[in-house]
Amino acid sequence: MSETNLIHLKAPNCWINDPNGFIYFKGMYHLFYQCFPYSAQWGRMHWGHAVSKDLVHWEHKGIALYPSKKDDRSGCFSGSAVEWNGKMHLIYTGVNYLQEDPENINTCLNDQFQSAQLMITSENGMTFDNLADKKTILPPIEKPHMGSKTHTRDPKVWREKDTWYMVLGSSVEEKGRLLFYRSKDLEHWEYVSHAEKDNFGWMWECPDYFETDGKKVLIFSPMGFLKEGKAYDSAAICMIPEFDTKSCIMHLPDEFQFLDYGLDLYAPQSATDAEGRRVLVAWARMPEAVDGKWNGMFCIPRIVEVKNGHIYFRPHPNMTNQFTKKITSPLEAGKGGYRISVDMHQGSEINIGGYRILYQKNRVYADRSAVFAGHNEIRCQFETPEIREGNHLDIYVDANLIEVYINDGEYVLSNVVYSLSNEIQAENYEIFTTET
Ligand code: FRU
């Protein structure tokens, strides 16, 4: 398994979901991900592994983690990576099914499973000894008022001064919450505090907390948050919290942004890049496998910045620098797809192979109905909040994912699509493709 992926990292002929263990380690970007290697549907989770020198060209490295211990016998769920003493440490959730589905032992029945937190250590970030180097660092939670024995997962670990911190997503009495722990050695962890908020769903998946240019950012994916009755009732959201490192007390504001207004992206994870910038990737949820073979891909790595209380997500410069070759039609585009650059005005519309983008009342609207056939259970129409800063769009188009960046990341709206045509209807636009 060592095929190369350009621009969007895609599932290597199987199923993938969340990005995991994203880290710049010894001169190389490592992106692990939730993976069921045997078919294009979700099952007993493994960690797939891909590496890149530039966040643009990715090479698949096969499976890094697989179920091997009692505590992760039913799956290696999401988690994060840190470097310490020159080694890579992957901290993740191990799942143990208490009631296996006899017809599909890769899934469990009636939510009967328990979750522990584990760590595996690797000298070089390339080889992982699943038998010798795994340790359980937090057993399943036994105090229901503190967190759920079942739904506590997705550790994100970071260091401040001489202490390690961990945030986990959890649930108590049908309400999502975050649990904060700290440690001196990554192995022994002490519970410190929790944070919660009304009306933000029943369980919070994949929390991520970091500072960028001194500004704090919290990202998580609450389940049961969107109430419109369509198939995805969860979404990735972000906000600017207050956080006191000493007490691990976090206050969550009422204001939040969606990570992406196309509502397909989920379970994002961030890392710092070679220049120390905060960079993030997220899973693009796909209702159908492509060619019946692969399901799941990641968005373009995005730089996260906070300006005037607003969180921006712009394409990583390594990516923007790729799309420099001017072309006149999508038919001339290379393997990495193409970028459309366009200024919108009130009432204007672009049609990209069936995907419609409209600009009205200072908002960007998108409609994918014509390129999403057979998926009525999932939303097709989307809109951004009111835009403040201009009306420039950079639209990255790949066969199954369109990413619309508005005003260099003021908002982003990305959608999964199928069967795009090569026709573009728009005014005053330019198209660029990659040199390779
Ligand atoms: C989010 C998620 C995580 C979990 C993983 C399992 O998509 O449900 O909370 O760790 O996927 O694959």
Side-chain angles (χ1 to χ4, degrees), residues 4 7 144 163 224 317 348 368 379 383 426 431:
T4 302
I7 314 297
T163 305
S348 72
R368 66 170 160 196
R379 272 173 75 139
E383 67 181 87
I431 321 184

Side-chain angles (χ1 to χ4, degrees), residues 17-18 34 42 45 77-78 153-154 205-206 266-267 283:
N17 51 291
D18 316 354
Q34 291 286 279
W42 191 93
M45 278 293 128
F77 273 22
S78 287
R153 57 179 172 267
D154 310 338
E205 298 192 300
C206 300
Y266 197 66
W283 165 42

Side-chain angles (χ1 to χ4, degrees), residues 73-90:
R73 61 186 293 278
S74 313
C76 304
F77 273 22
S78 287
S80 54
V82 293
E83 178 176 353
W84 197 35
N85 294 333
K87 294 185 188 165
M88 183 190 282
H89 299 265
L90 303 177

Side-chain angles (χ1 to χ4, degrees), residues 29 54-56 273-275 277-280 300-303 313-322 396 405:
Y29 292 98
D54 57 5
L55 294 169
V56 176
D273 75 357
E275 269 85 54
R277 291 172 292 211
R278 190 47 66 165
V279 56
L280 166 146
I300 287 175
R302 301 173 179 182
I303 298 281
F313 298 96
R314 60 184 170 88
H316 193 280
N318 291 3
M319 194 60 78
T320 3
N321 294 341
Q322 296 290 317
Y396 290 81
Y405 291 84

Side-chain angles (χ1 to χ4, degrees), residues 322-381:
Q322 296 290 317
F323 288 85
T324 45
K325 188 173 159 194
K326 205 160 174 215
I327 52 174
T328 53
S329 149
L331 291 169
E332 299 160 42
K335 270 205 304 198
Y338 56 95
R339 170 172 67 90
I340 297 179
S341 169
V342 64
D343 287 327
M344 303 287 274
H345 52 84
Q346 297 298 342
S348 72
E349 175 174 345
I350 302 181
N351 189 318
I352 303 170
Y355 182 81
R356 293 173 63 206
I357 301 170
L358 292 85
Y359 188 74
Q360 268 163 10
K361 298 188 195 135
N362 293 327
R363 288 170 200 260
V364 171
Y365 294 81
D367 186 343
R368 66 170 160 196
S369 337
V371 283
F372 208 60
H375 301 295
N376 298 335
E377 77 285 8
I378 296 168
R379 272 173 75 139
C380 278
Q381 274 132 10

Side-chain angles (χ1 to χ4, degrees), residues 36-55:
F36 186 62
Y38 309 114
S39 77
Q41 65 184 37
W42 191 93
R44 191 174 297 255
M45 278 293 128
H46 298 49
W47 277 32
H49 184 197
V51 294
S52 172
K53 286 213 171 80
D54 57 5
L55 294 169

